Amino acid sequence: MVCHLQRIAICSFQGNCSSTKLNGTGVGFNTYMTQEEDWDRDLLLDPAWEKQQRKTFTAWCNSHLRKAGTQIENIEEDFRNGLKLMLLLEVISGERLPKPDKGKMRFHKIANVNKALDFICSKGVKLVSIGAEEIVDGNVKMTLGMIWTIILRFAIQDISVEETSAKEGLLLWCQRKTAPYRNVNVQNFHISWKDGLALCALIHRHRPDLIDYSKLRKDDPIGNLNTAFDVAEKYLDIPKMLDAEDIVNTPKPDEKAIMTYVSCFYHAFAGAEQAETAANRICKVLAVNQENEKLMEEYEKLASELLEWIRRTIPWLENRVAEKTMRAMQQKLEDFRDYRRVHKPPRVQEKCQLEINFNTLQTKLRLSNRPAFMPSEGKMVSDIANAWKGLEQVEKGYEEWLLTEIRRLERLDHLAEKFKQKCNMHESWTAGKEDLLSQKDYESASLMEIRALMRKHEAFESDLAAHQDRVEQIAAIAQELNELDYHDAASVNSRCQAICDQWDNLGTLTQKRRDALERVEKLWETIDQLYLEFAKRAAPFNNWMDGAMEDLQDMFIVHSIEEIQSLITAHDQFKATLPEADKERMATLGIHNEILKIAQTYGIKLSGINPYTNLTSQDITTKWDTVKHLVPLRDQMLQEEVARQQANERLRRQFAAQANIIGPWIQTKMEEISHVSVDIAGSLEDQMNSLKQYEQNIINYKSNIDKLEGDHQLSQESLIFDNKHTNYTMEHIRVGWEQLLTTIARTINEVENQILTRDAKGISQEQLNEFRASFNHFDRKRNGMMDPDDFRACLISMGYDLGEVEFARIMTLVDPNNTGVVTFQAFIDFMTRETAETDTAEQVMASFKILASDKNYITVEELRRELPPEQAEYCITRMTRYVGPDSPVDALDYISFSSALYGESDL
C-alpha cells in the first residue's frame, strides 16, 4: 500500500487557484494538471510508460542543459544533489537562482533541492506532499512527477488556443495543423500518434521541404516515427525523446511523454506562427484597401460615363428647332418616346446603382476604420443628382415643346387647308368679273338693255358686298397663319395679297361701271319688274346656298365629345331652316314661272336671259340639289367624328382606370417599404427576404407600367392631351415608378450594409434589435430620422452620460454634413463603433514589425517571402524608401505606409 505522503498533488496556484487566469485565458493551472487520483494511478506506473517518461524527460532536460554545456544520464541520480536541477531551472526561466551549496553532504543536497523547489513555488506552483528528501533519495516516481511539473509550467502552460486550457490548446493546435492530411485524426496524446503520421504532418505543414508526405504509408508506423524523429533532430533542433518501437509496441503510449515531445514542435514553430499571423493580418488589411480602391475606380468610371451621357443628352433635349411639317414633328416625338422607353431606363438603373455603390463603399470604409471616400470634383452623388435633375427639367420642357408644336402644326394644317378652300371658292367667283366690269356694252344697248344692265350691276354690287365678309375671312386666316409661323407663309401671303388687290380693283371697276350706267340711266325707262324681282330674290338665296354649301363643306377640328356635339347641334339647327329655305326657293322659281306665264300669255318672245342677273332657275335648282346632297354627307362626317371622339374618350377612361390603380399602388408600396425598413420583428435576414419579395413583386408589376405606357402612346398618337378622369399623368407614374425602384434598391442596400456592419463588427442580432427599438422609439415623426434632442434622449436612455462638449463631438460623427437630423444608418454606425473593435494602424505596424524581425523598416525580399505575390507587390509599389543609418538600398518604410492605410498620412 503506497503511503499518502508519497503522493504528489501538483499545479495548484497559491491562493484561490480556480479563479486565477493564465495567459489571459481564465483557465486555472489545476485545470490541465492531473489530480490526486491520477497520481494514484501513476504511482502504479506501467513499466512501458515509465521507460517512455524516463527517455522523454531526460531528452527534454538535456535539450535545455546543453545550452549550459552539460547534460544528465540518469534522471533520478543526476538531480539528487540539486545542482543540475537548479541549473535547468535557470536555463529555462532565464532567471538566477540563489547560490548553491558546494558541499557533498546530504544536508547540502537537500538545501540545493529545496532552493529549486522554492523557485518552482515562486512561479505560482504549490508542491504538496513532496519534499527535497524524495528527490535526494532518488525516488524515481517523485522525480518524474517533479520534472513533469516543470515541463507543464515552463513548456506547456502558456499554450492557449481560443481560450482553452494548455493541454486542450495544444491538442487544438495539433488538430488544426493536421486537419488537411489524409489518415491523420488527432484526438488525444497517446494512440493518435502511434502510426507517426501526425508527427510527419506537423513537420510537413510548416516545413514541406523536409518530408514528402505523399510517400508515407499508414502501415509503416516505425518508418514514419523514425522519419519524424530524425528530421526533427537534424533540422528543427528537437532531440529524439522517444523510441519508435516503444510507442508502436505499447497499447497506449504515455500521454506525458507525447505531450512533452509535441510541445517542442509547438515552440519550434511558434515564430513561424507569429509571422504567419502577422502576414495574415496584413493581407487582410491590404485586401480591404484593394477592394475599396477597386470600388472607388468603378464609382469614378460609372459616374464619368453617366455624367458624359447626361452632358451629351441635354443639348439634344434643348434643341427647340421646330420642323416644318407634322410628319417631321411626329418623328421627333417618336424619337423622344424611344429615348424614354429604351435609352433612359438603363441610365436610371445606373444612377441608382451608383448611389448604392457609393453607400456600400462608405460603409465598408467606416467598418474598416478608413477615411471616407471623396470622389473627384464634380462627381459627388449630389453632383450626379443635380445633373440628373437638370436633365429631367430639360426633358420635361422638351416634351411640352413637342406637344405644343404638334398642336400648332395641326392648327396650321387645318387653317392652310381652310385658306385654300376659301381662296378657291372666291377666285372661282371672281373669275371673269374684271372683264365683265370692264365691258362697254351700254354704249350700243337699247334703253331696256341699259336699264337691264343697271339692274344687273346693282345685283352684282349686292353680290360683291356679300363677298366682302369672305375676303375678310381669307385675310384673317392668312394673318393667323403668319402669327403661327406657317412654313409656307410666303405663298399664303402672296395669294392673299393677290386676292386683296383683285378685290380693290373690283371695287374700283364696280364704281366706274356704276358711274357710267348712271350717266345713261336717264336714257332708259323700261324695266322688267319681274326680272328685277327674280334677280333680287335669287341673288340673296343663291348667296345663302353658296354659304350653306361652304358651311357644309367647311373643315373642322375638335378634341372632345362636347365640341363635336356643339357642331352637331349647329348642323341640326341648319337643317331646321331647310323647309323655310325651300319656300324661298319655290317663291323665287315662282317669279321665273310668272315671267314665262306672262310671256306666253302676251306672246312675248324671251331671249332666255335675265337682264338683271346671270342666275337662272336651273342654277337655283342645281345648287338646291347640291345643298340637299351635302346635308347627309355632313351628317356622316359629323357622326364619324363622334365615333372618333368616343374612341378617344374610351382611351382616356382606359388610361385613367389603370393610372388610378397604379398610382396608389406605387404609393402603398413606398409606405410598406418604409415600414419594413424600421420593423424590428425579425432579423436583418428576415427584413432582407421581405424586401427581396417586395422587389420581385415590383419587378413583376412592370408589365402594368408597360401596358399603361402603351395606352399613353395610343392617346398621344390620337392627339389626346387632357384627361378629366384621373389626376395621374404618365409623367407622374414614371417619376413614381423610378422613385419606387430607387427606394427598394436603396432600402435593400441599407439592410445589406447593416448585415455587413453586424458581421464585420461581431454584433449580435439582439444588439441590432435593441438599437432599432431605441431608434424607433425616439423617431417621433416616423420618418426614419431623429432630431438632435431626440438623439440625445435616446443616448441617455441607453446609459450615456453626456455633456455639451461630448454630445457636440458625437453629433459631428453622426451628422458630418450638419443636416440637423440623425439617420438610422448613421445611428447604427455610431453604436457599432461604440460596441466593436476594428483593426488599427498600430496593429498593422506591429504585424509588419514581426515580419521585419523588429526592424523599423522591411526589405523587398522580406515582403515577397512573407506575403502572397499580389499583396507583396501592392506594398512594394506604395511604400516609400526608408532612410536611416545602415539601412539597405531596398529598405521600405512600413510605418508611414500603415498610417496612410487609415488616412493618418498621405501615401
Side-chain angles (χ1 to χ4, degrees):
M1 188 69 179
V2 180
C3 177
H4 177 71
L5 293 177
Q6 292 175 307
R7 296 176 178 172
I8 303 174
I10 303 175
C11 303
S12 294
F13 281 120
Q14 296 173 348
N16 185 1
C17 299
S18 62
S19 62
T20 304
K21 290 186 177 181
L22 296 180
N23 195 27
T25 64
V27 179
F29 196 63
N30 60 342
T31 303
Y32 55 78
M33 285 305 298
T34 55
Q35 300 299 322
E36 186 175 305
E37 58 271 19
D38 296 321
W39 285 104
D40 283 339
R41 184 175 65 253
D42 287 347
L43 290 173
L44 301 176
L45 198 61
D46 182 277
W49 286 7
E50 181 179 332
K51 179 182 178 182
Q52 290 174 19
Q53 286 190 15
R54 278 175 175 272
K55 182 175 179 61
T56 301
F57 291 178
T58 299
W60 184 85
C61 292
N62 284 336
S63 69
H64 293 286
L65 287 172
R66 69 185 180 187
K67 298 175 185 177
T70 186
Q71 63 179 19
I72 61 172
E73 298 293 340
N74 189 307
I75 197 165
E76 70 269 22
E77 291 295 333
D78 293 350
F79 284 139
R80 289 176 65 180
N81 62 5
L83 296 176
K84 289 188 177 181
L85 180 59
M86 294 177 68
L87 183 60
L88 173 65
L89 290 171
E90 287 185 344
V91 171
I92 62 178
S93 69
E95 301 179 25
R96 296 291 296 178
L97 271 68
K99 187 175 180 181
D101 292 359
K102 296 299 186 180
K104 296 182 179 181
M105 303 297 289
R106 177 177 173 82
F107 73 88
H108 292 123
K109 297 177 181 179
I110 291 174
N112 289 335
V113 173
N114 274 326
K115 291 175 182 178
L117 295 178
D118 290 342
F119 179 78
I120 294 173
C121 290
S122 72
K123 294 305 178 183
V125 180
K126 180 183 286 187
L127 298 176
V128 181
S129 301
I130 185 171
E133 289 82 359
E134 286 86 353
I135 306 303
V136 173
D137 291 341
N139 186 318
V140 65
K141 300 298 190 296
M142 298 302 177
T143 302
L144 291 174
M146 178 189 66
I147 297 301
W148 175 241
T149 301
I150 294 172
I151 292 172
L152 282 172
R153 173 60 184 84
F154 293 101
I156 299 177
Q157 173 183 327
D158 292 335
I159 299 175
S160 178
V161 179
E162 295 187 355
E163 300 188 1
T164 61
S165 69
K167 176 181 176 181
E168 292 169 348
L170 182 59
L171 183 64
L172 180 57
W173 178 80
C174 294
Q175 288 171 337
R176 287 186 174 177
K177 295 301 179 182
T178 60
Y181 291 87
R182 58 182 174 82
N183 297 327
V184 177
N185 184 15
V186 177
Q187 298 296 329
N188 49 56
F189 284 111
H190 37 81
I191 61 174
S192 295
W193 305 83
K194 286 187 66 173
D195 59 10
L197 290 177
L199 285 172
C200 292
L202 275 181
I203 297 173
H204 184 269
R205 180 62 181 270
H206 295 89
R207 291 290 303 275
D209 57 309
L210 300 180
I211 291 180
D212 187 353
Y213 188 84
S214 63
K215 293 182 178 180
L216 301 179
R217 304 195 319 274
K218 189 173 181 63
D219 59 0
D220 184 21
I222 298 293
N224 296 338
L225 287 166
N226 284 329
T227 296
F229 295 157
D230 295 341
V231 168
E233 186 171 36
K234 182 177 180 181
Y235 297 103
L236 304 178
D237 199 26
I238 299 174
K240 186 175 181 181
M241 299 182 182
L242 301 165
D243 286 323
E245 292 76 7
D246 292 341
I247 295 176
V248 173
N249 296 329
T250 302
K252 181 181 179 183
D254 180 62
E255 186 177 57
K256 299 179 182 61
I258 298 295
M259 281 183 66
T260 301
Y261 187 56
V262 171
S263 69
C264 294
F265 284 90
Y266 176 85
H267 291 292
F269 295 131
E273 291 288 325
Q274 188 181 28
E276 181 181 350
T277 300
N280 287 338
R281 177 184 290 277
I282 291 171
C283 288
K284 180 181 178 182
V285 171
L286 295 180
V288 169
N289 269 64
Q290 288 172 308
E291 181 182 359
N292 290 342
E293 288 177 3
K294 182 179 179 182
L295 290 175
M296 293 176 191
E297 292 173 0
E298 290 176 353
Y299 174 88
E300 291 281 345
K301 180 176 180 294
L302 189 58
S304 298
E305 292 175 353
L306 184 57
L307 288 171
E308 175 61 21
W309 178 80
I310 294 173
R311 186 191 65 78
R312 293 196 313 269
T313 304
I314 286 179
W316 174 65
L317 294 173
E318 287 178 337
N319 181 9
R320 299 294 195 273
V321 178
E323 299 294 339
K324 299 297 184 182
T325 65
M326 174 71 80
R327 180 185 296 274
M329 285 304 297
Q330 286 178 333
Q331 183 59 49
K332 275 184 175 288
L333 181 61
E334 186 61 31
D335 292 341
F336 181 69
R337 291 196 187 107
D338 287 341
Y339 157 78
R340 273 272 180 76
R341 291 192 303 260
V342 179
H343 302 293
K344 185 182 178 185
R347 302 299 179 176
V348 173
Q349 295 177 1
E350 287 180 10
K351 175 177 174 290
C352 179
Q353 189 61 45
L354 192 70
E355 295 178 5
I356 290 173
N357 290 353
F358 182 81
N359 293 334
T360 300
L361 175 59
Q362 298 294 38
T363 299
K364 288 186 175 183
L365 290 172
R366 287 195 299 271
L367 294 178
S368 57
N369 202 23
R370 305 308 197 270
F373 169 54
M374 286 296 295
S376 302
E377 184 176 357
K379 296 179 183 177
M380 293 287 291
V381 171
S382 58
D383 297 325
I384 304 240
N386 290 335
W388 189 266
K389 183 178 180 182
L391 172 70
E392 291 189 328
Q393 289 175 346
V394 174
E395 179 183 305
K396 182 179 180 182
Y398 184 70
E399 183 177 31
E400 292 174 352
W401 172 77
L402 277 177
L403 297 178
T404 300
E405 278 299 310
I406 288 175
R407 293 192 192 100
R408 184 182 69 83
L409 288 176
E410 181 191 26
R411 174 69 178 165
L412 282 175
D413 288 347
H414 170 72
L415 288 175
E417 192 61 33
K418 192 170 185 177
F419 176 81
K420 290 178 184 178
Q421 187 182 55
K422 288 187 176 295
C423 286
N424 290 338
M425 294 182 69
H426 178 77
E427 289 168 350
S428 175
W429 178 81
T430 59
K433 293 291 190 296
E434 290 175 303
D435 293 340
L436 182 64
L437 291 173
S438 299
Q439 288 181 357
K440 295 185 178 180
D441 50 349
Y442 52 82
E443 291 180 353
S444 58
S446 63
L447 178 61
M448 185 67 69
E449 291 172 338
I450 290 298
R451 294 201 170 198
L453 290 175
M454 187 64 183
R455 301 299 180 269
K456 182 179 181 181
H457 187 69
E458 289 176 354
F460 173 78
E461 287 180 326
S462 176
D463 201 9
L464 185 68
H467 276 79
Q468 176 68 33
D469 182 58
R470 293 179 186 172
V471 175
E472 292 175 354
Q473 289 179 9
I474 290 172
I477 294 173
Q479 178 65 25
E480 188 171 358
L481 286 171
N482 277 275
E483 291 174 353
L484 293 176
D485 194 22
Y486 182 56
H487 71 278
D488 197 17
S491 63
V492 169
N493 293 336
S494 175
R495 191 171 184 181
C496 180
Q497 187 63 47
I499 288 174
C500 291
D501 292 344
Q502 184 189 41
W503 185 256
D504 292 341
N505 189 40
L506 284 175
T508 301
L509 291 175
T510 299
Q511 185 62 42
K512 285 182 178 180
R513 185 171 178 82
R514 167 172 277 281
D515 293 342
L517 290 173
E518 285 179 349
R519 284 195 304 269
V520 296
E521 184 178 11
K522 294 179 180 180
L523 302 174
W524 312 104
E525 296 177 353
T526 306
I527 184 171
D528 190 339
Q529 292 296 327
L530 291 176
Y531 269 130
L532 180 61
E533 185 178 354
F534 176 87
K536 288 183 177 180
R537 296 195 70 164
F541 184 67
N542 179 70
N543 189 59
W544 176 86
M545 287 192 294
D546 286 342
M549 288 189 294
E550 182 177 349
D551 289 341
L552 290 172
Q553 298 177 80
D554 190 22
M555 299 177 66
F556 57 83
I557 178 172
V558 295
H559 295 95
S560 67
I561 292 290
E562 290 76 14
E563 292 179 6
I564 190 62
Q565 287 295 343
S566 176
L567 291 178
I568 291 174
T569 300
H571 184 59
D572 290 341
Q573 291 173 352
F574 167 76
K575 289 192 293 184
T577 65
L578 288 178
E580 188 68 27
D582 190 45
K583 290 181 180 179
E584 179 67 17
R585 177 184 69 87
M586 295 301 296
T588 302
L589 292 177
I591 294 173
H592 176 71
N593 292 334
E594 184 68 19
I595 292 173
L596 293 176
K597 182 178 179 181
I598 294 174
Q600 184 179 7
T601 301
Y602 297 100
I604 297 174
K605 186 178 180 181
L606 300 175
S607 62
I609 299 174
N610 189 325
Y612 305 113
T613 181
N614 289 327
L615 292 173
T616 66
S617 60
Q618 184 61 40
D619 294 335
I620 299 297
T621 301
T622 300
K623 286 190 177 182
W624 178 253
D625 292 340
T626 301
V627 169
K628 289 196 297 181
H629 174 73
L630 289 176
V631 169
L633 293 180
R634 183 72 169 184
D635 285 333
Q636 180 181 354
M637 185 184 303
L638 290 173
Q639 290 305 317
E640 289 174 353
E641 183 61 27
V642 167
R644 190 175 77 86
Q645 289 302 324
Q646 288 174 341
N648 288 353
E649 184 66 11
R650 285 194 296 273
L651 287 176
R652 289 188 182 96
R653 292 181 182 275
Q654 181 175 328
F655 177 87
Q658 295 183 80
N660 289 337
I661 294 173
I662 292 174
W665 184 89
I666 291 174
Q667 183 62 36
T668 299
K669 291 303 173 186
M670 291 281 285
E671 294 172 356
E672 290 176 354
I673 290 169
S674 66
H675 291 158
V676 170
S677 65
V678 297
D679 183 19
I680 63 172
S683 65
L684 290 176
E685 284 72 12
D686 294 336
Q687 278 195 49
M688 179 62 71
N689 291 333
S690 179
L691 288 171
K692 289 292 186 181
Q693 290 177 0
Y694 274 105
E695 184 180 40
Q696 188 58 48
N697 290 340
I698 291 170
I699 292 172
N700 294 339
Y701 201 78
K702 179 64 165 59
S703 60
N704 296 305
I705 304 297
D706 295 338
K707 185 176 185 304
L708 192 66
E709 281 281 9
D711 291 343
H712 176 65
Q713 182 172 344
L714 290 176
S715 297
Q716 286 199 335
E717 289 172 354
S718 299
L719 301 177
I720 300 172
F721 304 109
D722 60 335
N723 195 335
K724 66 182 179 181
H725 304 296
T726 181
N727 293 326
Y728 295 100
T729 66
M730 195 64 230
E731 183 64 23
H732 292 151
I733 299 297
R734 288 193 195 108
V735 171
W737 180 252
E738 291 176 3
Q739 288 178 346
L740 180 60
L741 291 176
T742 301
T743 298
I744 186 66
R746 285 176 177 167
T747 306
I748 289 175
N749 179 246
E750 288 174 1
V751 176
E752 287 173 343
N753 286 341
Q754 291 178 34
I755 293 175
L756 185 64
T757 301
R758 179 197 65 191
D759 295 342
K761 299 296 186 177
I763 297 173
S764 67
Q765 184 66 46
E766 290 71 20
Q767 285 178 297
L768 278 179
N769 288 342
E770 181 183 348
F771 295 158
R772 280 190 286 176
S774 299
F775 183 90
N776 292 345
H777 178 75
F778 288 96
D779 178 13
R780 306 189 192 282
K781 297 180 181 178
R782 296 295 180 264
N783 60 355
M785 293 178 287
M786 290 189 291
D787 60 33
D789 290 338
D790 290 336
F791 178 54
R792 179 195 293 270
C794 180
L795 292 181
I796 293 173
S797 73
M798 300 179 74
Y800 283 78
D801 184 13
L802 297 174
E804 290 299 328
V805 175
E806 176 62 13
F807 182 69
R809 182 190 70 81
I810 292 175
M811 282 301 298
T812 62
L813 297 176
V814 298
D815 185 20
N817 296 325
N818 199 24
T819 60
V821 293
V822 180
T823 65
F824 180 65
Q825 186 60 44
F827 176 72
I828 287 294
D829 289 342
F830 171 74
M831 294 307 301
T832 54
R833 283 198 297 271
E834 294 293 304
T835 57
E837 296 182 355
T838 59
D839 58 275
T840 64
E842 290 74 17
Q843 291 174 333
V844 176
M845 291 179 199
S847 298
F848 272 118
K849 193 166 187 177
I850 291 173
L851 300 185
S853 302
D854 288 335
K855 300 190 299 294
N856 289 331
Y857 61 84
I858 191 167
T859 65
V860 172
E861 180 184 358
E862 287 170 334
L863 285 171
R864 288 177 174 158
R865 182 180 69 240
E866 299 293 346
L867 298 179
E870 183 180 353
Q871 280 75 21
E873 294 305 318
Y874 181 85
C875 295
I876 292 169
T877 56
R878 286 166 172 76
M879 283 186 181
T880 58
R881 186 176 181 278
Y882 178 83
V883 179
D886 302 326
S887 60
V889 176
D890 62 346
L892 299 175
D893 185 358
Y894 63 78
I895 295 177
S896 62
F897 173 77
S898 300
S899 298
L901 289 177
Y902 294 86
E904 298 173 11
S905 67
D906 295 327
L907 281 176

